[in-house]
Amino acid sequence: MTRTFRKNVRLVSGVVLILLLVATGAIAQPTDDEEKEFDDFNFDDIPVEEADLDYIGFGGGYLGMLSLVNYDELNSIAAEFDITEKFSGPMLLNGGGGFIGGVGIDNVRWGVYGVGGTKEVTDSDVDDRSSRTIRFNSGLVALQLDYAIFTPVDGLMIFPGLMIGRASNEIEVHQTRNGAVPFASLFNPTRFNNPSSASDSLFQYVRISRNPLHLQPEVNIEYALNTFLLARVGAGYGLNFGGIWTDPSGTEITGVPDIEADGLNVHLGLFIGLFQN
């Protein structure tokens, strides 16, 4: 949008300049010496300063991340629970957010995003009537700062940047009956006072979580399909720092295996707004 406007201004300016030169030439005819000197003049010698391009745009929409997580520790936990299925493949985090550029620092864009996803493994035949599942949940809410780099292709831009935010990691283990479970079997004081004698004593559930600081350097390549629609593809490397594992009551859990959510991820996005193309 801004680039097209500047092109139009340059085109109109050029036409006006040519008309002025023609009009001036009609009024003052050069002498032979002046005409020879004019013929030897090279317009390439005129210094032309390129106008700085400033990024302006805003929008919001879908953001997806394919996160390549190391599942070694999670698979060790699954094996201890006699679950033969393994965690594998990238984890898909779905979410969205929005951004705005042209406010504050030139060519710096500000954005806020949130994504989340789940991976799980299951043994559906623990004792002929129960299922056992281990689930790993991962999420992120972050502020993103990136810098606009223009390319020779209209609408195509590169944005190196950094995500800064708070991640969430959860591990869940649950075991339940294959089928309906009566309310009274779960909310039964005997399960707490003497679980070995309670009906459906195999019903179990445990969850722990942490919220580390998340830093993610990344590079996105974006193309404005038109003034109102933008596609994004990119990659980053997520780094998590700190975070204490706790249960739902807030009690700290010690001795947790070194479960890492760090790793490479690929970004895919589609946004609606107002963009330079």
Side-chain angles (χ1 to χ4, degrees), residues 192-210:
F192 294 83
N193 298 329
N194 188 12
S196 62
S197 64
S199 61
D200 281 322
S201 60
L202 288 178
F203 185 94
Q204 300 290 338
Y205 177 79
V206 63
R207 176 173 66 88
I208 61 173
S209 63
R210 67 174 179 180

Side-chain angles (χ1 to χ4, degrees), residues 1 3-4 7 55-60 62 99 109 146 148-159 219-234 267-277:
M1 182 168 57
R3 184 179 296 184
T4 302
K7 286 182 179 178
Y55 177 80
I56 301 173
F58 64 89
Y62 169 78
F99 58 83
R109 189 173 64 177
D146 47 24
I149 298 177
F150 289 81
T151 71
V153 179
D154 286 348
L156 183 66
M157 302 188 68
I158 300 173
F159 289 90
V219 176
N220 290 308
I221 300 174
E222 301 181 0
Y223 182 70
L225 303 173
N226 53 48
T227 305
F228 308 105
L229 193 61
L230 180 77
R232 171 187 296 181
V233 62
H267 304 177
L268 301 170
L270 188 64
F271 301 91
I272 298 174
L274 189 62
F275 314 107
Q276 290 176 272
N277 68 335

Side-chain angles (χ1 to χ4, degrees), residues 12-92:
V12 173
S13 301
V15 172
V16 172
L17 178 60
I18 293 173
L19 292 176
L20 289 174
L21 290 174
V22 171
T24 304
I27 296 173
Q29 295 295 327
T31 64
D32 291 342
D33 291 339
E34 289 174 336
E35 185 174 354
K36 182 178 184 305
E37 182 179 351
F38 183 80
D39 291 339
D40 292 338
F41 184 79
N42 187 351
F43 280 93
D44 292 336
D45 295 334
I46 299 177
V48 178
E49 182 178 352
E50 288 289 334
D52 292 334
L53 297 177
D54 296 330
Y55 177 80
I56 301 173
F58 64 89
Y62 169 78
L63 177 65
M65 293 185 185
L66 287 171
S67 183
L68 305 179
V69 179
N70 186 327
Y71 298 120
D72 290 348
E73 292 294 344
L74 288 170
N75 283 326
S76 295
I77 296 173
E80 291 177 359
F81 279 86
D82 297 323
I83 298 177
T84 57
E85 184 183 359
K86 292 184 177 298
F87 288 94
S88 62
M91 176 183 289
L92 176 59

